[in-house]
Structure formats: structure tokens, C-alpha cells
């Protein structure tokens, strides 16, 4: 699972970074220049979606090659992984863009980022509780039909 963590740099500065499990096919930092098609394959997103994310401000500035082709880094892949998790929470795109803008604005937005992520977490917890209730209903119905099926089978066997 991708998480956001705070790390201490040698300068003592705290930076908000995305960290997740190592992904296969990733290049070492410094040699991490991916084309849009490579990022599409690694992330599962379409090239159209990647360009749209950049256009609406959800992606930070993407470097370009001397021919103008986008060149993504490992840090961009980490950011996309976080965006994917935020999408799974049901966070509206506008809120994701707002979060991205706050990250770019710097440390003075920590409190606002905290509030946004905390509210999103509360929504996720509520949805999980709702889904657990739904799962309990399904389990009862499945149990009913399993019992009814066994009863029918034993009646027919007589």
C-alpha cells in the first residue's frame, strides 16, 4: 500500500514524500527517465489520463526531453501511486488537485493537507462500516440459500 510519510533530510527539513513497496521494472534514481508509454504500462493509466492529470494540475511539472517528449521520474511514479490511492478513497478530482496545489505551495499548508486527508479518512472509515453491514446481509442470505439448497437436496434424495 502506498502511504505518505514524513522523512528527515540531512538538512533537518521535513518533506512530504510518497513511499510504497518497491515496484518491479523501476530504474535507479538518476537513471529514472520514463516515457509516457512506459508510465502507462507501469501505472495502468492511459497516456490520455496522464496528459489530463498534467493539464488539470494533478501532476507536478513533468520534465521534457530535448525533443519535447515527457520524461517521468520515480518520484512521479510514487506520486501517481498516491493519486491512485486517493482515487480509491472516492476523493473528488477537485480535492486531489487542491491537495497537489497545497503540496507544491510548501510546508505552510501542512494543516490544510492534514484536514483534507483526515476528512477523507473519516469518509473511508464510514464507507468500510457501511460495506461491512452489507457483507453481513450477504453472508446471511448466502447461508440461507446454502441451508435451503441442502434441505432440497436431501428431500430429493429420499
Amino acid at each position: 500500500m502506498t502511504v505518505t510519510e514524513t522523512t528527515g533530510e540531512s538538512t533537518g527539513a521535513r518533506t512530504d514524500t510518497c513511499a510504497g513497496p518497491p515496484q518491479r521494472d523501476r530504474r535507479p534514481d538518476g537513471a529514472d527517465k520514463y516515457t509516457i508509454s512506459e508510465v502507462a504500462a507501469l501505472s495502468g493509466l492511459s497516456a490520455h489520463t496522464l496528459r489530463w492529470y498534467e493539464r488539470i494540475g494533478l501532476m507536478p511539472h513533468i520534465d521534457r526531453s530535448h525533443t519535447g517528449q515527457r520524461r517521468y521520474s520515480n518520484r512521479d511514479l510514487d506520486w501517481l501511486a498516491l493519486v491512485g490511492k486517493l482515487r480509491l478513497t472516492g476523493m473528488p478530482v477537485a480535492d486531489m488537485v487542491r491537495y497537489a496545489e497545497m503540496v507544491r505551495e510548501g510546508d505552510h499548508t501542512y494543516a490544510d493537507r492534514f484536514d483534507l486527508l483526515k476528512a477523507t479518512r473519516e469518509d473511508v472509515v464510514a464507507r468500510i462500516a457501511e460495506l461491512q453491514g452489507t457483507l453481513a446481509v450477504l453472508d446471511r442470505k448466502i447461508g440461507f440459500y446454502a441451508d435451503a439448497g441442502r434441505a432440497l437436496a436431501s428431500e430429493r434424495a429420499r
Side-chain angles (χ1 to χ4, degrees):
M1 170 179 21
T2 300
V3 296
T4 300
E5 68 179 9
T6 302
T7 59
E9 302 285 329
S10 60
T11 62
R14 295 163 52 109
T15 36
D16 199 12
T17 60
C18 301
Q23 294 179 341
R24 59 184 179 87
D25 301 327
R26 290 200 42 177
R27 298 176 185 134
D29 289 341
D32 57 335
K33 298 297 176 201
Y34 303 92
T35 65
I36 197 166
S37 60
E38 290 172 322
V39 173
L42 287 167
S43 68
L45 299 170
S46 69
H48 175 77
T49 299
L50 292 167
R51 286 188 292 271
W52 180 66
Y53 280 3
E54 189 178 352
R55 192 168 50 252
I56 66 171
L58 189 52
M59 284 295 298
H61 171 75
I62 303 299
D63 287 335
R64 302 279 181 139
S65 72
H66 68 283
T67 60
Q69 291 181 316
R70 288 171 176 84
R71 293 290 183 223
Y72 294 84
S73 67
N74 286 333
R75 187 173 180 163
D76 297 324
L77 294 177
D78 290 342
W79 177 259
L80 284 171
L82 175 63
V83 168
K85 295 301 181 190
L86 294 177
R87 286 179 57 220
L88 286 174
T89 70
M91 181 185 278
V93 172
D95 285 348
M96 287 188 277
V97 170
R98 195 175 90 214
Y99 178 78
E101 288 168 351
M102 287 188 285
V103 168
R104 286 190 292 271
E105 287 174 24
D107 294 353
H108 71 279
T109 64
Y110 274 10
D112 292 331
R113 287 187 253 173
F114 173 85
D115 292 341
L116 178 61
L117 293 176
K118 187 170 183 210
T120 300
R121 184 185 189 286
E122 290 167 1
D123 291 344
V124 169
V125 168
R127 282 187 28 231
I128 289 171
E130 190 175 23
L131 286 171
Q132 285 174 331
T134 302
L135 183 60
V137 169
L138 288 172
D139 287 344
R140 283 194 303 276
K141 293 302 268 181
I142 289 168
F144 170 80
Y145 288 116
D147 292 344
R150 282 191 290 274
L152 269 173
S154 82
E155 266 186 43
R156 288 183 182 152
R158 293 181 198 177

